[in-house]
């Protein structure tokens, strides 16, 4: 008997303010195929997401996409990893119970012997609270821009912010991870 894989439509509709926090030594590990379907996840991922590991295998990773995350964040992810570049970023994920958890995500493409992308691997850890405090209002501003002007409007705001501080995206994330204020 075949089982239906979880999809974004299976994500909780009742979003709460209940936050889960990763431990200081916890690492979330997952791997997806080239379309974003989960092909591996560790127990910490399953625990934080709130789904049994067997239910996560075959599900699209966007199952845990929190509605507070701007689309430009995921466009940035896909643009980077499809170009075989590493991605680092702060992500608010959705748990099965409607709660959330923050991560500092590292995502990279996995290549075959010919250099073709065969999958993506991600390792996530607990971000500093100082980074979450800075990124949360920025993500809200990007989301608000997307509601009226789409992803292009939020991309412009993000570009303007980075230009104002004379940083590229990677420097911005690294500075926040190190506790720098912008």
């Amino acid at each position: 008997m075949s089982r239906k894989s979880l999809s974004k439509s299976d994500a909780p509709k009742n979003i709460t303010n209940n936050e889960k926090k990763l431990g200081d030594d916890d690492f979330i590990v997952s791997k997806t195929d080239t379309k974003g379907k989960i092909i591996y996840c560790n127990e910490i991922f399953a625990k934080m997401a709130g789904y049994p590991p067997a239910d996560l295998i075959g599900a699209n990773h966007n199952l845990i996409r929190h509605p507070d995350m701007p689309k430009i964040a995921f466009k940035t992810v896909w643009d980077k990893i499809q170009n075989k570049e590493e991605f680092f970023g702060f992500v608010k994920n959705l748990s099965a119970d409607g709660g959330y958890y923050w991560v500092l995500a590292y995502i990279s493409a996995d290549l075959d012997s010919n250099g073709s992308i065969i999958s993506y691997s991600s390792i996530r850890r607990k971000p500093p609270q100082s980074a979450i405090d800075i990124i949360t209002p920025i993500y809200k501003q990007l989301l608000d821009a997307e509601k009226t002007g789409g992803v292009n409007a939020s991309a412009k705001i993000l570009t303007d912010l980075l230009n104002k501080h004379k940083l590229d995206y990677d420097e911005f994330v690294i500075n926040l991870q190190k506790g720098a204020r912008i």
Side-chain angles (χ1 to χ4, degrees):
M1 176 171 140
S2 136
R3 163 179 80 72
K4 177 189 168 286
S5 292
L6 293 173
S7 70
K8 186 67 181 158
S9 64
D10 296 308
K13 309 299 182 257
N14 182 27
I15 308 302
T16 71
N17 237 359
N18 298 331
E19 181 177 10
K20 293 181 183 179
K21 290 198 180 225
L22 280 167
D24 292 339
D25 297 325
D26 288 345
F27 284 89
I28 292 174
V29 180
S30 64
K31 190 176 198 103
T32 69
D33 67 13
T34 57
K35 303 292 185 201
K37 283 192 173 183
I38 300 167
I39 56 177
Y40 169 79
C41 65
N42 70 349
E43 283 290 329
I44 296 172
F45 179 36
K47 178 180 138 200
M48 295 301 290
Y51 296 96
D55 289 356
L56 288 168
I57 303 301
N60 193 292
H61 212 286
N62 70 6
L63 172 70
I64 61 167
R65 183 176 295 173
H66 196 283
D68 287 351
M69 286 297 300
K71 290 180 176 136
I72 189 63
F74 298 103
K75 181 181 182 326
T76 302
V77 169
W78 283 104
D79 287 351
K80 283 183 151 294
I81 64 176
Q82 288 177 332
N83 283 318
K84 302 175 187 172
E85 298 172 32
E86 298 173 316
F87 169 83
F88 288 92
F90 298 97
V91 180
K92 184 177 186 179
N93 285 323
L94 181 62
S95 296
D97 64 1
Y100 68 95
Y101 59 99
W102 280 97
V103 297
L104 171 62
Y106 166 75
I107 307 170
S108 64
D110 304 317
L111 310 176
D112 66 13
S113 60
N114 297 317
S116 298
I117 297 172
I118 55 171
S119 58
Y120 299 105
S121 293
S122 179
I123 300 171
R124 277 112 46 215
R125 61 181 295 194
K126 181 181 178 180
Q129 187 61 48
S130 60
I132 295 168
D133 293 344
I134 291 170
I135 205 73
T136 298
I138 293 170
Y139 282 177
K140 173 143 181 22
Q141 184 181 12
L142 297 175
L143 265 176
D144 290 346
E146 287 176 3
K147 289 176 186 168
T148 58
V151 174
N152 289 338
S154 63
K156 180 177 180 345
I157 289 171
L158 182 58
T159 300
D160 290 349
L161 174 75
L162 295 172
N163 288 339
K164 175 183 171 185
H165 295 284
K166 297 178 174 60
L167 298 169
D168 68 21
Y169 177 80
D170 293 330
E171 291 171 317
F172 173 68
V173 172
I174 290 167
N175 286 348
L176 291 181
Q177 176 62 15
K178 290 181 176 177
R181 305 305 263 172
I182 60 163

